[in-house]
Amino acid sequence: MGGEWARMILEPGLNDCVPRDVIELFEVARATVVYGWFFYPLFAVGCEQLFIVHEAAVIHRCKDVGAPKKAKSFAEKIDWLIGNGFLTESRRVQWTAVRQLRNSAAHKKNQSIFDPTMAVRNVEIAAELINELFLTDKIAPQSECD
């Protein structure tokens, strides 16, 4: 049973378009989620780290595409990427949720609890959103790196 969970967690990954240091952050977070099978609190720790990986990816992408320095906060960076065609408007809700979850993790009032299903889904969503962020110069039908 644990092997199947591990497979589902390890299957989604980041593509070669994503900067190496973001990939490394993702791998550590994902590995923490895998070990959640043995110690459930690690599901929460790993998922909270994934929210930080999202932010690191956004910071990198903004730097890569020359976002203005006035876009300082995570929210401002997301807005700028959407407004300039690097993210679709349809993803705003998901990126806003990631930002809110990152804020909750950074300013804890109580312990978060994630079950295995939630943890697997968080890894899948992280890989999907981050890969999409680095796929092209601007949102377009192509699916290759810049």
Side-chain angles (χ1 to χ4, degrees):
M1 181 72 170
E4 181 62 19
W5 281 108
R7 185 195 61 73
M8 288 189 291
I9 293 166
L10 294 172
E11 190 172 276
L14 299 181
N15 63 45
D16 293 337
C17 302
V18 178
R20 186 84 223 141
D21 52 337
V22 174
I23 292 172
E24 290 170 0
L25 290 169
F26 176 84
E27 292 298 336
V28 170
R30 185 170 65 165
T32 304
V33 172
V34 168
Y35 276 92
W37 182 258
F38 301 105
F39 184 64
Y40 263 48
L42 289 177
F43 284 134
V45 172
C47 288
E48 289 169 350
Q49 287 300 305
L50 286 170
F51 305 141
I52 292 167
V53 177
H54 282 90
E55 183 176 22
V58 165
I59 290 168
H60 258 281
R61 192 60 172 148
C62 282
K63 191 180 293 185
D64 290 349
V65 298
K69 293 192 186 307
K70 68 178 182 173
K72 292 182 181 181
S73 71
F74 193 12
E76 290 169 337
K77 286 176 175 25
I78 291 168
D79 288 343
W80 189 88
L81 289 167
I82 291 169
N84 288 276
F86 295 98
L87 288 172
T88 62
E89 182 64 41
S90 64
R91 289 293 198 182
R92 182 181 297 278
V93 170
Q94 285 177 293
W95 279 102
T96 298
V98 165
R99 183 183 56 77
Q100 291 169 338
L101 289 165
R102 188 281 324 246
N103 287 346
S104 294
H107 309 287
K108 286 189 159 296
K109 294 180 183 148
N110 51 28
Q111 180 59 50
S112 302
I113 299 173
F114 287 80
D115 67 29
T117 303
M118 294 164 67
V120 168
R121 189 66 187 125
N122 271 287
V123 172
E124 292 169 344
I125 291 168
E128 182 180 327
L129 290 176
I130 294 169
N131 281 333
E132 184 179 279
L133 180 62
F134 289 95
L135 215 49
T136 61
D137 272 341
K138 298 256 185 175
I139 299 302
Q142 64 208 47
S143 63
E144 296 178 17
C145 298
D146 301 336

